Amino acid sequence: MKKIYSRIEAIAGNVITVHAGGVRNGELAVVSSAGQSSLAEVIRLREEKVSLQVFAGSRGISTGDRVRFLGHPMRVSFSADLLGRIFDGGGKPRDNGPELDENMIEIGGPAVNPAQRIIPRNMIRTNIPMIDLFNSLVESQKLPVFSVSGEPYNPLLARIALQAEVDLIILGGMGLKHDDYLFFKETLEKGGALNRTVFFVHTASDPIVECLLVPDIALAVAEGFALQGRKVLVLLSDMTNFADALKEIAITMEQVPSNRGYPGDLYSQLAARYEKAVDFSGAGSITILGVTTMPGDDVTHPVPDNTGYITEGQYYLKNGRIEPFGSLSRLKQLVNKDTRADHRALMDSMITLYAAYKESLEKKAMGFKMTDWDRKLLKYGVIFEREMMDLSVNIPLETALDNGWRILASCFSPEETRLRSELLRKYWPSREGESD
Amino acid sequence: MTKGRVVGINGNMVTVEVAGDVTMNEVAYVSCAGKKLKSEVIRIRGRLAEMQVFEMSRGIGVGDEVEFTAELLSVRLGPGLLAQVYDGLQNPLPELAAQCGFFLERGVYLSPLDEKKEWPFTPTAGPGDTVSAGDALGTVPEGIFSHRIMVPFQFREPLRVERIVPAGSYRILDTIAELSDEKGNRFPVTMTFTWPVKRPVTCYRERLRPVEPLVTQIRIIDTFIPVARGGTYCIPGPFGAGKTVLQQVTSRNADVDIVIIAACGERAGEVVETLREFPKLADPRTGRTLMERTVIICNTSSMPVAAREASVYTAITLAEYYRQMGLHILLLADSTSRWAQALREMSGRLEEIPGEEAFPAYLESVIAGFYERAGLVRLRDRSSGSITIGGTVSPAGGNFDEPVTQSTLKVVGAFHGLSRERSDARKYPAIHPLESWSKYPGLIHAPGTEYARDILFRGNEVGQMMKVVGEEGTALEDYELYLKSEFIDSVYLQQDSYDPVDAAVPTERQRHVFRLLFKVLASRFDFGSKEMARFFFNQLRQKFLDYNGSPWQGDDFRRYEDEIRSFLETKRSGEDEEGGRILKELGSDTAGDPS
Ligand SMILES: Nc1ncnc2c1ncn2[C@@H]1O[C@H](COP(=O)(O)OP(=O)(O)OP(=O)(O)O)[C@@H](O)[C@H]1O
Ligand SMILES: [Mg+2]
């Protein structure tokens, strides 16, 4: 057993400093006082001066507490026993189940060799038209939901998780409200998915440092399962809390902030997590669906901004709907060529017309004269929002496509849609008013 | 060999106490858990050397041993670089995968070039010849190129060829010649040597001004904001605006010999597309695969940050090596902002005084120094070679008023600014036609593009005005101008990168199509009403888009062109005087124009 140090020299923020020898960068230690103990991680070394970040926070830590180094970095137990279990950000059970200590694996491991990646090819069906039809989600994609706080992003995540055909779900909660945590638990339980789910949940009342560990723990476990051939869906809610935790530590460490107080390496930190999304050739995959709440509905805020530069698109949630503008799946073209022959063309045509509807709406608001064409668009926009954008719509892609044709036919003549004649001949609903 | 021991660790920066001499930018290896981790000296203070570690620094401890190599951070040059996929330190990624599997294992450094492969060498120099650094001693065929085996760039004085091997098969480490200096020192030379990445290669006779267009086959670029061979340009834009797609199409279609792609701190998935597709795509000019003219330097966002900083230098050094063979190279760096951020992270750890947005004060000169390595040069044998650099910039919040964009704009010759508004409207490529600029000459007779630009500008003003006063409050004449500017935008500036024909428009076709477009622009019309004007331009646009999608000089192409011409006549009432004059001038420089 390693030596115990009992002299803490400095405590600032959640960082403590001790004098110790033979310590390695990233190593774990246990800090214990009379009543409590917490894990801590070495984040800086200067000769014998060792700085550690205390997971449970520094509140109540005294200079006389004992620090015992463990000789290894942060790890998590990895086995099928994890399934159905709930842990906190530090990997401790939250559910009265036994603590797991078998087959410990390191978290925050190395990146996948780009030469070993393959081009993603499988669509993940969600039965949400704004996703399946307009911005298809692809296995191994990393995609956040950009949202103003107060929007139903957690219900959206839970619904996609239940609907998606994946083997395992891993939920990483960061700064999650307790109610939201219970919501996830109950929803997944009701949906019969609890036994293929692992929770790593940091709630708003837990120590901030544990928030930092959540993505790494969740993704290390996901990686383990993916290497065993499983399709894993990782839900991360809310990554803005993770970024704020990074900011707090950076300020404690007196790093020079780059933008609104966030550290200069925010991009690299976020990328290190999101880039864990992968399709292993010959094994499983990791898909990451995150939530990034946007302070003040501002996409240029450093957190959504850096996220947008990293992820493969985003779903923009506003007024309870996924907005067609601002939302983007950068991988959709890899899968929507193989769904149905009309998918791409219908998608483009409907969006173009919806954009035209918005213009007419604006013109109307300015009091300009409405033409026949404007009136058609105004009718279309309302139906589009009701039948495509409303989140309560829950239909397979094929039905959504059929509905799309029906909506177009109820508002426009065929040539007004600018769709190719060959598609119109095949898909344009006949006059008899049939409704499929 | 100088040694030292670790005394401090902060992120990927390690402080080392050194016993002996160290050099700035020298490479050293930190021993950690049986592995030797590559690092570079970035500051020296007394007996302390501060080094950036090119690997994850987890597990390094105070007291760990450090070995200095006395060599600057370098790349290995020689035949066999083409078609390779390297990380930022020239580690070959496919070979690494074969050895280590799915993940990047730290501390494993493989030879960048195949040392066993035999190359058929043909000498071009003979005993008694006087040669200098960068002069050819012989050649080996590398794909479609004749790869010059050169006198290593390090030699400063002219040398005498004492001995050279006869034509035959040799491996890169075999001695192929022996050179001697005035003092009689003898130097054996192989087909490979190393060169420090941060030192520009200058073994050429002179630098020339870049004036010849580098054809990208993207209309808006070649016609309105051209790039020159040996020039520099940047593509700033908010996320998702289309920077990477623009570079991907350029890497396929640009008229150069070699493309070097520096994927610097961006998504691994994007490199994978290139990596998997280029070996299958044929290069129309050579019939060989695109991969054979491409080198990929790939240090994506989750790979170590220090190696990201090195990666752009690795890329430019490889470019300089091939330029020295009289070839034309295009270096595409995506994204230079990630490289600047790597500088910022390290500057922060060094506790340097920060400048704007915490970027180091020397950011501007570092960026300038990098772009300065582009250029068109005349070599000692009078042939010429060029390096063109195109870098993307990812400004925070999409706001160009930030240090990296601003520093870059000061040094580049062309600015292709992407606009969020245009990408949201799916107007690709989303380059802003009015804000972007270029100092280089384009493919088209300049008064022609000026005339078209003027219409774009004035039409845009009318469009802005119309948002306030509505269509009703706009004069027919202004409305026509507006429609013309929209027409230029939709049939010429926008281009479908995913359409097999429209994706790449060669010089001849661009000149031809521009002339037809110009005819429309210079025309006066008799519309009578705005509805009629709009209807006319809608029809014309539809025909023009079909025309753009038809193979060059095929039946459809000719048919659509005839249709456009006769449809134009139905409403054309005359010609603008200046426009008519320019149209004649355009005709004269459009060889083979059928009209
Ligand atoms: N020329 C184009 N034609 C059609 N679609 C395009 C084009 N350019 C971009 N897009 C669309 O926009 C998406 C984003 O483009 P791209 O990845 O090039 O953006 P970017 O500017 O590199 O973003 P980031 O800064 O986040 O890397 C693409 O996935 C594609 O759907
Ligand atoms: Mg990009």
Side-chain angles (χ1 to χ4, degrees):
Chain A
M1 189 69 23
K2 282 223 171 183
K3 197 173 163 201
I4 293 172
Y5 298 86
S6 58
R7 183 87 217 138
I8 295 176
E9 309 210 325
I11 306 173
N14 294 313
V15 178
I16 62 169
T17 309
V18 292
H19 243 84
V23 177
R24 311 212 143 257
N25 194 26
E27 187 172 342
L28 276 194
V30 180
V31 182
S32 41
S33 52
Q36 58 182 43
S37 76
S38 167
L39 287 175
E41 182 181 24
V42 176
I43 55 172
R44 191 184 286 186
L45 291 159
R46 199 168 280 172
E47 287 288 359
E48 304 267 273
K49 227 168 93 182
V50 181
S51 302
L52 300 110
Q53 171 171 286
V54 184
F55 292 173
S58 59
R59 182 170 306 155
I61 290 193
S62 98
T63 51
D65 286 357
R66 291 177 310 152
V67 178
R68 180 165 57 89
F69 289 92
L70 300 178
H72 61 75
M74 180 66 189
R75 301 187 300 190
V76 60
S77 164
F78 171 72
S79 73
D81 293 345
L82 288 169
L83 297 176
R85 296 288 313 270
I86 303 173
F87 304 89
D88 67 10
K92 291 254 177 304
R94 268 196 117 96
D95 58 359
N96 303 326
E99 209 162 312
L100 301 177
D101 52 13
E102 269 170 43
N103 191 30
M104 302 297 281
I105 59 169
E106 279 188 24
I107 70 167
V112 171
N113 186 330
Q116 287 287 65
R117 287 177 180 256
I118 51 180
I119 299 180
R121 62 226 137 123
N122 301 321
M123 176 169 156
I124 295 184
R125 285 168 175 264
T126 67
N127 286 3
I128 298 171
M130 288 317 288
I131 296 180
D132 294 359
L133 206 169
F134 295 100
N135 277 303
S136 317
L137 180 64
V138 180
E139 188 180 340
S140 87
Q141 191 161 17
K142 42 186 176 288
L143 203 99
V145 176
F146 279 4
S147 168
V148 190
S149 54
E151 293 285 338
Y153 48 83
N154 283 331
L156 178 63
L157 243 53
R159 176 170 162 202
I160 295 174
L162 282 179
Q163 213 108 251
E165 288 159 347
V166 293
D167 300 328
L168 294 174
I169 301 161
I170 298 187
L171 174 77
M174 287 149 284
L176 210 57
K177 287 198 211 73
H178 207 81
D179 290 353
D180 287 344
Y181 154 56
L182 293 176
F183 163 81
F184 270 116
K185 203 174 132 197
E186 280 163 19
T187 311
L188 292 173
E189 194 158 24
K190 236 184 278 160
L194 210 52
N195 59 357
R196 53 185 182 95
T197 304
V198 190
F199 287 77
F200 293 97
V201 174
H202 164 268
T203 67
S205 56
D206 295 335
I208 193 93
V209 183
E210 287 187 359
C211 178
L212 284 178
L213 298 171
V214 168
D216 285 339
I217 289 205
L219 290 163
V221 168
E223 207 162 72
F225 284 118
L227 287 170
Q228 292 179 349
R230 313 290 197 90
K231 286 187 191 182
V232 187
L233 175 65
V234 179
L235 307 176
L236 298 174
S237 174
D238 161 357
M239 287 297 277
T240 303
N241 290 329
F242 171 75
D244 286 342
L246 280 174
K247 172 162 100 173
E248 200 174 312
I249 295 293
I251 289 171
T252 309
M253 297 303 287
E254 294 173 0
Q255 284 178 26
V256 186
S258 69
N259 207 333
R260 293 201 228 178
Y262 290 92
D265 65 353
L266 179 62
Y267 174 86
S268 300
Q269 293 284 3
L270 290 171
R273 276 77 190 188
Y274 281 116
E275 283 279 313
K276 289 274 175 196
V278 63
D279 199 339
F280 289 113
S281 69
S285 66
I286 301 176
T287 308
I288 301 180
L289 202 57
V291 169
T292 301
T293 50
M294 298 184 288
D297 194 14
D298 177 11
V299 206
T300 67
H301 179 279
V303 180
D305 187 48
N306 277 285
T307 305
Y309 276 118
I310 293 163
T311 53
E312 290 155 335
Q314 65 279 331
Y315 295 139
Y316 188 23
L317 190 63
K318 198 171 179 180
N319 302 325
R321 301 193 298 223
I322 297 176
E323 280 289 321
F325 307 116
S327 296
L328 173 71
S329 162
R330 301 197 190 194
L331 303 187
K332 63 170 179 253
Q333 64 271 14
L334 298 175
V335 296
N336 63 13
K337 59 182 192 300
D338 305 320
T339 47
R340 216 169 83 173
D342 55 335
H343 187 163
R344 276 189 183 178
L346 188 66
M347 163 183 95
D348 287 335
S349 165
M350 291 193 87
I351 290 292
T352 312
L353 288 166
Y354 186 70
Y357 154 72
K358 287 281 190 183
E359 274 175 28
S360 295
L361 207 58
E362 215 171 281
K363 267 164 68 182
K364 193 176 168 205
M366 305 267 298
F368 293 137
K369 207 171 68 199
M370 291 288 98
T371 61
D372 275 354
W373 177 239
D374 287 321
R375 275 186 286 276
K376 285 184 173 186
L377 288 169
L378 290 175
K379 176 181 174 196
Y380 167 75
V382 173
I383 306 181
F384 182 85
E385 289 181 354
R386 189 179 64 224
E387 298 205 20
M388 291 289 170
M389 287 171 65
D390 195 311
L391 274 183
S392 67
V393 177
N394 188 346
I395 46 175
L397 169 69
E398 287 70 17
T399 315
L401 288 168
D402 293 341
N403 289 354
W405 286 104
R406 187 170 44 71
I407 296 170
L408 289 181
S410 69
C411 301
F412 307 106
S413 63
E415 64 281 359
E416 284 170 336
T417 63
R418 298 196 198 176
L419 282 154
R420 273 183 295 129
S421 323
E422 161 202 346
L423 283 174
L424 289 170
R425 269 196 303 277
K426 183 152 179 216
Y427 292 102
W428 193 258
S430 57
R431 285 274 145 202
E432 281 82 90
E434 28 167 285
S435 59
D436 78 40
Chain B
M1 197 71 58
T2 304
K3 294 212 169 187
R5 60 178 276 278
V6 174
V7 296
I9 302 150
N10 176 13
N12 65 342
M13 186 181 83
V14 169
T15 309
V16 180
E17 191 178 49
V18 191
D21 288 332
V22 280
T23 315
M24 190 64 176
N25 299 113
E26 177 174 352
V27 170
Y29 289 90
V30 180
S31 299
C32 166
K35 298 248 164 77
K36 294 192 171 173
L37 309 182
K38 198 168 183 172
S39 344
E40 179 189 14
V41 176
I42 52 172
R43 185 162 72 188
I44 303 166
R45 287 206 282 204
R47 292 164 56 84
L48 296 182
E50 274 150 335
M51 312 194 312
Q52 57 176 349
V53 185
F54 294 121
E55 307 273 8
M56 279 204 299
S57 62
R58 181 189 287 173
I60 299 177
V62 169
D64 284 353
E65 190 172 285
V66 179
E67 286 169 33
F68 291 81
T69 62
E71 277 171 22
L72 304 185
L73 184 67
S74 302
V75 287
R76 175 154 292 283
L77 303 171
L81 291 166
L82 295 180
Q84 293 271 12
V85 182
Y86 293 123
D87 75 0
L89 301 174
Q90 216 195 2
N91 225 356
L93 289 173
E95 282 79 4
L96 205 62
Q99 185 165 328
C100 307
F102 282 126
F103 297 96
L104 292 167
E105 209 171 284
R106 60 180 184 169
V108 183
Y109 308 108
L110 304 176
S111 169
L113 295 173
D114 187 344
E115 291 171 4
K116 300 218 176 70
K117 182 174 166 134
E118 306 231 331
W119 295 89
F121 173 77
T122 311
T124 54
D129 287 359
T130 304
V131 290
S132 299
D135 288 353
L137 294 169
T139 63
V140 299
E142 180 181 18
I144 53 170
F145 304 105
S146 168
H147 183 118
R148 293 187 194 167
I149 303 300
M150 294 177 276
V151 177
F153 302 157
Q154 284 83 352
F155 292 104
R156 297 182 182 208
E157 308 294 328
L159 302 163
R160 200 182 115 88
V161 179
E162 292 293 337
R163 189 176 73 81
I164 190 156
V165 294
S169 279
Y170 301 92
R171 286 171 298 192
I172 55 168
L173 293 175
D174 295 338
T175 299
I176 51 112
E178 234 175 67
L179 310 176
S180 66
D181 64 11
E182 277 186 346
K183 299 187 199 96
N185 298 316
R186 286 190 162 231
F187 307 101
V189 172
T190 67
M191 291 202 270
T192 171
F193 56 92
T194 62
W195 181 259
V197 294
K198 288 183 184 161
R199 182 179 298 166
V201 176
T202 53
C203 318
Y204 44 78
R205 182 184 291 269
E206 59 180 335
R207 276 184 74 148
L208 306 170
R209 209 161 63 84
V211 286
E212 190 196 342
L214 187 160
V215 181
T216 62
Q217 308 205 47
I218 298 166
R219 284 186 296 255
I220 184 174
I221 296 179
D222 297 340
T223 301
F224 289 98
I225 35 173
V227 178
R229 281 188 167 180
T232 53
Y233 70 106
C234 69
I235 312 174
F239 65 76
K243 300 180 290 294
T244 305
V245 173
L246 197 55
Q247 286 210 331
Q248 282 171 344
V249 252
T250 309
S251 69
R252 289 174 191 207
N253 301 323
D255 184 18
V256 289
D257 297 313
I258 290 171
V259 177
I260 298 184
I261 298 172
C264 172
E266 292 284 308
R267 304 169 187 81
E270 294 168 345
V271 191
V272 177
E273 283 180 32
T274 308
L275 209 98
R276 303 273 171 201
E277 282 172 6
F278 272 28
K280 289 186 247 159
L281 291 174
D283 179 354
R285 293 161 315 138
T286 61
R288 307 289 280 266
T289 73
L290 279 176
M291 201 62 198
E292 286 180 49
R293 69 150 192 180
T294 308
V295 187
I296 300 175
I297 309 293
C298 159
N299 221 96
T300 54
S301 57
S302 60
M303 290 162 75
V305 173
R308 188 198 298 171
E309 193 260 335
S311 68
V312 299
Y313 294 105
T314 298
I316 190 78
T317 309
L318 299 189
E320 287 172 333
Y321 178 65
Y322 279 102
R323 174 174 66 180
Q324 199 62 33
M325 299 176 201
L327 296 172
H328 298 283
I329 327 293
L330 174 62
L331 170 68
L332 296 170
D334 187 13
S335 154
T336 60
S337 292
R338 307 302 164 217
W339 163 57
Q341 287 178 346
L343 289 173
R344 173 167 75 185
E345 283 184 34
M346 200 37 73
S347 168
R349 300 224 165 83
L350 290 170
E351 294 173 3
E352 293 171 338
I353 296 168
E356 214 183 320
E357 287 184 24
F359 282 106
Y362 46 81
L363 177 73
E364 206 172 302
S365 61
V366 173
I367 289 178
F370 170 66
Y371 281 101
E372 205 35 47
R373 290 173 76 169
L376 173 68
V377 301
R378 187 169 356 252
L379 301 169
R380 286 163 41 80
D381 70 353
R382 306 220 157 258
S383 61
S384 61
S386 70
I387 298 174
T388 310
I389 302 182
T392 67
V393 186
S394 318
N399 179 2
F400 294 172
D401 196 11
E402 57 89 43
V404 184
T405 314
Q406 290 304 318
S407 308
T408 308
L409 284 178
K410 281 188 192 163
V411 294
V412 292
F415 160 56
H416 300 169
L418 301 192
S419 107
R420 164 66 75 219
E421 216 184 347
R422 287 181 71 82
S423 69
D424 275 352
R426 296 183 162 75
K427 294 182 178 173
Y428 296 118
I431 301 175
H432 200 292
L434 297 175
E435 281 165 19
S436 303
W437 48 259
S438 166
K439 297 178 184 162
Y440 304 118
L443 287 186
I444 311 274
H445 185 52
T449 51
E450 278 316 311
Y451 187 90
R453 199 189 315 253
D454 185 56
I455 292 182
L456 276 175
F457 185 79
R458 289 191 294 143
N460 178 57
E461 280 184 341
V462 176
Q464 296 298 326
M465 200 59 198
M466 229 157 44
K467 286 203 180 115
V468 184
V469 299
E471 228 173 85
E472 305 97 284
T474 308
L476 179 56
E477 195 186 340
D478 286 344
Y479 191 66
E480 190 185 304
L481 195 62
Y482 165 73
L483 289 175
K484 278 182 180 171
S485 73
E486 288 287 292
F487 185 69
I488 303 176
D489 190 355
S490 49
V491 307
Y492 203 84
L493 302 184
Q494 292 174 43
Q495 191 172 344
D496 186 349
S497 311
Y498 298 112
D499 181 272
V501 175
D502 200 32
V505 186
T507 307
E508 199 183 353
R509 179 167 183 157
Q510 252 183 74
R511 291 205 172 119
H512 182 89
V513 172
F514 185 80
R515 192 165 184 279
L516 185 57
L517 170 78
F518 199 88
K519 192 163 168 115
V520 177
L521 301 183
S523 296
R524 291 219 179 92
F525 294 99
D526 237 352
F527 285 130
S529 74
K530 281 178 217 154
E531 284 66 47
M532 177 48 82
R534 189 176 49 220
F535 177 79
F536 174 82
F537 273 102
N538 273 346
Q539 298 281 313
L540 194 65
R541 184 189 61 209
Q542 201 57 44
K543 291 180 199 303
F544 220 103
L545 290 177
D546 289 336
Y547 175 63
N548 280 343
S550 321
W552 172 237
Q553 295 296 13
D555 289 346
D556 282 345
F557 181 87
R558 288 168 202 276
R559 184 162 52 82
Y560 284 123
E561 181 163 328
D562 289 344
E563 268 183 40
I564 292 168
R565 286 183 191 279
S566 47
F567 187 68
L568 187 60
E569 290 310 323
T570 62
K571 288 283 173 246
R572 193 165 184 269
S573 67
E575 202 165 68
D576 170 65
E577 194 184 318
E578 188 196 353
R581 199 182 61 241
I582 298 172
L583 189 59
K584 289 209 185 70
E585 294 166 10
L586 282 175
S588 60
D589 76 357
T590 312
D593 193 318
S595 67

